[in-house]
Amino acid sequence: MNYLIGIDVGTSATKTVLFDEKGTVIASASQEYPLYQPHNGWAEQKPEDWRDAVLNTLTAVTAKSGAAKENIKGIGISGQMHGLVMLDENGEVIRPSIIWCDQRTGAEVEDMLAVMPRERWIEITANPPLTGWTAAKILWVRKNEPEHYARCRHILLPKDYIRYILTGVFATEVSDASGMQLLDVPGRCWSDEVLNALSIDKSLLGTVYESCQVTGTLLPKIAARTGLTAEVKVVGGAGDNAAAAVGTGIVRDGTAFTTIGTSGVVFAHTSKVSIDPKGRVHTCCCAVPGAWHIMGVTQGAGLSLKWFKDQFCQDYAVRAEAEGRDIYDLINEDVKTVPAGSDKLIYLPYLMGERTPHLDPDCRGVFFGLSAIHTKKHLLRAVMEGVSYSLCDCNEILKEMGIEVTQMMACGGGGKSPNWRQMLADLYQCTVKTIQQSEGPALGAAILAGVGCGIYPRVEAACDALITEKDSTDPVPEQAAAYAEYHKLYQKLYQSLKEDYKILAGL
């Protein structure tokens, strides 16, 4: 039996899973690490924390699996997108990584628009300049920390830093590189025009591969430490959402998924390059060679619920510990007792600004409609509904672009919630499904490794063989009708507050 490993370098933790070639989980391990917010709107992590988490979990799953090390053939890496990792000439980290949800780069986005028209940015990179993406972060460091930029010899994304740790190779792949704003997305290669416009030396960037191509093998010292062989192949892998698509079977036209993790995503596969001229959703190369995906992103999805839980739900935490239950199960039970619409309470999930459809780093979270009848249960349901309204915004833009979705899957931590799946089904007015397999990005990364190692002939064939449907949630007509009205008001609230957000940001 052959075995494959998928590594998912997430925002809150790294999860490493060892699968057999039939997709069965043999062993898994995870390790958490902190997020640092030195200022309002900033978000950083230490790449060394990712490194330690990967090496520790890789060692743990190898030891727990009982698999002969020579039968472990490949590793695929997935991870949070857009983070800036800068290394010096010795391959050492220069500064903490500025990660995906950081919003400090508003001035740099304006600088990017000054050197190239917005329309040209969209033509080349398939997206307008964005505060959360890597190019603006590079410019911010060059402007504000010139001593760090002068030392920089390598620019990598989070998962590609892990590739360097494992293999010594400086490389990336098309799906993750699409989120740097430096890639020619239709052409699937670095854009000389963009690099010249921004005065960024191409030698700082890694070689670009397709997601299932082999990029290197394990360094002997890493193999020895983790209990593997130096013959283990490491493939390109994919950004977290592109890997989740493979791990959910979203690899053909007409298929899409919604994921509710720290951020939320509506993601659709397409065999043709399709770009929103308004730049409201993101088009990127996907992990299937020669194909692309379109995705809308809600910055504060699961983050919103976690924030509310951490700040205001200590009573739930005490009860969960006393009863030996998961705190989110208790929350979901209470949320189910509140009617759709949360008795006229609406939440705007803009804790970290917003990407789709507003591209506004200044907007912030709001509870609208609070009254004395509202309880903590109402606020919890309103948070979940607000995230769902934002995801519905994403889905409506895909429809505008002519993307016909016949199959919507739900994944991520929030996708496990029957309440959240029902809200999505009601707002999308379509059936929302889940799959038996729950490892998402890690499974997708392992599948890509299996293709690279020749265990599977193609990504699509592997998904057909390994992924099976589990649950199905249909819309409830009465709730769908109510949510349609609430969603209209939700959309109006942003427009009403847009200028006020700017005033607040300037105070």
Side-chain angles (χ1 to χ4, degrees), residues 227-241:
L228 296 164
T229 72
E231 286 72 46
V232 172
K233 295 179 172 66
V234 178
V235 300
D240 50 5
N241 290 301

Side-chain angles (χ1 to χ4, degrees), residues 8-9 77-82 100 133 159 173 175-176 211 237-251 256-269 282 284-288 293-299 355 391 411-412 440-442 444-445 448:
D8 180 24
V9 184
I77 319 167
S78 167
Q80 52 171 296
M81 297 177 67
H82 316 303
W100 61 274
W133 287 29
K159 80 167 195 328
E173 47 69 48
S175 73
D176 217 359
S211 298
D240 50 5
N241 290 301
V246 175
T248 316
I250 308 304
V251 293
F257 75 77
T258 297
T259 185
I260 302 175
T262 304
S263 62
V265 171
V266 180
F267 177 116
H269 180 96
H282 311 311
C284 298
C285 303
C286 78
V288 178
H293 66 253
I294 303 170
M295 65 179 186
V297 180
T298 297
Q299 289 278 87
R355 274 162 69 171
L391 292 166
C411 56
L448 295 170

Side-chain angles (χ1 to χ4, degrees), residues 101-347:
C101 55
D102 188 282
Q103 296 291 325
R104 76 184 70 178
T105 58
E108 286 67 38
V109 165
E110 295 304 315
D111 294 343
M112 292 170 71
L113 290 168
V115 300
M116 188 184 295
R118 187 175 190 270
E119 295 75 19
R120 187 60 180 152
W121 281 106
I122 293 173
E123 288 173 2
I124 299 172
T125 71
N127 299 276
L130 294 160
T131 52
W133 287 29
T134 320
K137 296 177 171 71
I138 296 170
L139 301 187
W140 186 91
V141 172
R142 187 166 69 191
K143 182 190 298 184
N144 294 278
E145 300 174 352
E147 72 284 3
H148 289 153
Y149 191 81
R151 292 174 54 206
C152 182
R153 296 296 177 270
H154 302 282
I155 291 173
L156 296 172
L157 294 162
K159 80 167 195 328
D160 299 323
Y161 170 68
I162 297 304
R163 181 195 324 283
Y164 165 69
I165 293 297
L166 297 180
T167 68
V169 173
F170 297 106
T172 188
E173 47 69 48
V174 291
S175 73
D176 217 359
S178 295
M180 294 184 75
Q181 205 105 54
L182 303 175
L183 194 79
D184 176 344
V185 170
R188 306 172 85 87
C189 62
W190 296 126
S191 169
D192 290 330
E193 183 177 345
V194 168
L195 294 172
N196 290 336
L198 299 180
S199 299
I200 295 174
D201 188 340
K202 190 192 287 188
S203 68
L204 297 176
L205 305 175
T207 304
V208 182
Y209 290 84
E210 289 292 334
S211 298
C212 51
Q213 284 185 287
V214 175
T215 61
T217 55
L218 287 185
L219 293 167
K221 65 178 181 180
I222 298 297
R225 172 171 175 172
T226 58
L228 296 164
T229 72
E231 286 72 46
V232 172
K233 295 179 172 66
V234 178
V235 300
D240 50 5
N241 290 301
V246 175
T248 316
I250 308 304
V251 293
R252 291 184 174 88
D253 288 351
T255 60
F257 75 77
T258 297
T259 185
I260 302 175
T262 304
S263 62
V265 171
V266 180
F267 177 116
H269 180 96
T270 177
S271 56
K272 298 178 180 178
V273 181
S274 181
I275 298 173
D276 175 25
K278 297 180 183 179
R280 296 167 297 173
V281 293
H282 311 311
T283 296
C284 298
C285 303
C286 78
V288 178
W292 290 262
H293 66 253
I294 303 170
M295 65 179 186
V297 180
T298 297
Q299 289 278 87
L303 173 68
S304 287
L305 188 60
K306 184 179 187 301
W307 163 76
F308 192 91
K309 170 186 72 72
D310 291 346
Q311 301 305 320
F312 307 112
C313 293
Q314 288 80 6
D315 53 340
Y316 281 95
V318 170
R319 186 175 148 210
E321 184 174 358
E323 297 179 10
R325 300 180 63 193
D326 188 293
I327 187 171
Y328 287 108
D329 289 340
L330 299 179
I331 287 171
N332 270 284
E333 287 176 4
D334 281 354
V335 162
K336 192 173 182 179
T337 67
V338 177
S342 302
D343 286 325
K344 300 184 180 180
L345 180 63
I346 297 176
Y347 169 73

